[in-house]
Amino acid sequence: MTEFDPDGAADADPQGRAWHLSAAVSGPPEFPELFERFLQTVDTTRVTTLVLGFTGFDGPAAATHLLDAAERFPRLRALFLGDEQDFSCIYQTDLTPVLERFPLLERLDVRGKQGWELSPFRHPALKTLRCESCCLPSGVLRAVAASDLPGLERLDLWLGVDDGEGEVADAGDLAPILSGERLPALRSLGLENSDIQDEIAEEIAKAPVVPQLRSLSLALGTLTDRGAESLLTGRPLTHLERLDLHHHFLSDTMMERLRAAHPTTDVDLSAARGELHGPFDEAYNLVADGRDF
């Protein structure tokens, strides 16, 4: 990933790079100035991957700045809005226009706590959608579930917890997604970072979408033996290439049962009893899946 230097020289070939822009928590330049310098310095018509982080505590969301200059990014294929570990610092907005203005977008990652809005949309090109939150609004999840995404291969939803400030997504909101009817190409599903992980596991256990998956993640949540028992007795998961359950609250006996039941599956049971070294147990890399944007 290439960190944009507002005082550096113009880059002759910006294509193929993941450009990262984020305002410092203290000191200049502020994000509006940083983004304007980026537009003036880099040939954005050749930019394919863009990572926008912290925009300021009181400033508009990164999506607002990007939409004001949408015509300057005709080749954009991958976008990350909110590249910041502290969720409380990230303010989002209505993300529907982003999906409408960038029809070639193949990957969208969004992280944040407040301000999220989304309406049902159609996007044939989108292959990866990640929504990372500590309290994902139910309206956002329902909009994703009602959208037309024929090419979507990977969906990751961090549901978070109910902070008492709004209507947070729950297990019942997942039904349209778990039916698989609107997601024919889906191969990787993550329902993560939730304090209702057992309830989610119970829904997964009877979900019609399961047979088409190659990877399933219920990581970063509060999964206990109750939820794991549902996974063992529900629809078979033995066809999965990967089952990610890391950051859990499973007993040693249950962990052994899960491993024994899935001998050919890569089962991640690390971070037992919720033990992590930090807020994120691995550095996030927008192009970590190896795809060439």
Side-chain angles (χ1 to χ4, degrees):
M1 189 155 54
T2 301
E3 188 76 32
F4 173 65
D5 180 2
D7 298 317
D11 193 282
D13 185 16
Q15 189 170 2
R17 299 190 182 192
W19 287 94
H20 181 261
L21 288 78
S22 184
V25 174
S26 61
E30 295 186 354
F31 192 85
E33 180 184 353
L34 179 69
F35 192 72
E36 183 60 30
R37 290 189 193 179
F38 182 71
L39 295 177
Q40 295 173 357
T41 304
V42 176
D43 180 6
T44 57
T45 64
R46 295 173 58 80
V47 171
T48 58
T49 304
L50 191 59
V51 183
L52 303 179
F54 180 64
T55 61
F57 291 106
D58 300 316
T64 302
H65 295 280
L66 179 62
L67 287 169
D68 287 343
E71 72 283 353
R72 305 280 295 271
F73 296 89
R75 299 187 185 183
L76 195 63
R77 298 292 193 279
L79 175 63
F80 188 0
L81 297 171
D83 179 30
E84 191 72 32
Q85 287 194 352
D86 188 350
F87 285 111
S88 63
C89 292
I90 309 171
Y91 184 85
Q92 293 297 347
T93 184
D94 187 355
L95 301 174
T96 315
V98 173
L99 292 151
E100 294 172 343
R101 295 293 298 276
F102 297 101
L104 301 182
L105 204 63
E106 296 181 3
R107 177 165 185 165
L108 176 63
D109 297 62
V110 185
R111 178 181 291 165
K113 177 183 179 182
Q114 54 189 335
W116 286 64
E117 292 182 32
L118 186 66
S119 299
F121 61 95
R122 172 173 170 75
H123 203 300
L126 198 64
K127 297 181 179 180
T128 295
L129 177 61
R130 292 175 55 87
C131 298
E132 300 182 359
S133 181
C134 51
C135 42
L136 188 70
S138 59
V140 172
L141 194 155
R142 291 170 185 164
V144 172
S147 294
D148 188 1
L149 302 169
L152 194 71
E153 299 172 358
R154 177 180 179 183
L155 176 62
D156 290 316
L157 300 170
W158 290 24
L159 303 183
V161 301
D162 186 351
D163 64 355
E165 296 182 4
E167 188 179 0
V168 179
D170 60 29
D173 294 324
L174 296 170
I177 292 173
L178 297 181
S179 75
E181 293 178 359
R182 304 183 69 89
L183 299 169
L186 191 67
R187 296 296 178 267
S188 177
L189 176 62
L191 302 172
E192 302 149 319
N193 195 41
S194 174
D195 66 344
I196 56 168
Q197 212 70 61
D198 285 342
E199 289 86 343
I200 293 172
E202 290 167 358
E203 296 300 318
I204 285 288
K206 55 187 178 184
V209 76
V210 167
Q212 73 187 57
L213 299 179
R214 296 295 174 266
S215 176
L216 173 66
S217 176
L218 301 181
L220 296 170
T222 58
L223 186 70
T224 70
D225 285 9
R226 169 191 152 196
E229 187 69 39
S230 297
L231 297 179
L232 287 171
T233 58
R235 285 181 177 266
L237 303 178
T238 51
H239 65 287
L240 294 176
E241 297 173 3
R242 179 170 174 77
L243 177 60
D244 187 355
L245 303 177
H246 84 272
H247 187 284
H248 57 81
F249 295 85
L250 302 175
S251 66
D252 291 341
T253 299
M254 180 57 73
M255 285 191 282
E256 288 304 315
R257 288 180 62 193
L258 285 166
R259 292 189 183 98
H262 305 92
T264 63
T265 300
D266 177 13
V267 181
D268 188 346
L269 292 169
S270 60
R273 266 68 72 178
E275 296 175 0
L276 287 178
H277 298 296
F280 296 94
D281 59 337
E282 58 185 18
Y284 184 80
N285 180 358
L286 187 61
V287 291
D289 56 7
R291 297 189 59 234
D292 181 9
F293 295 100

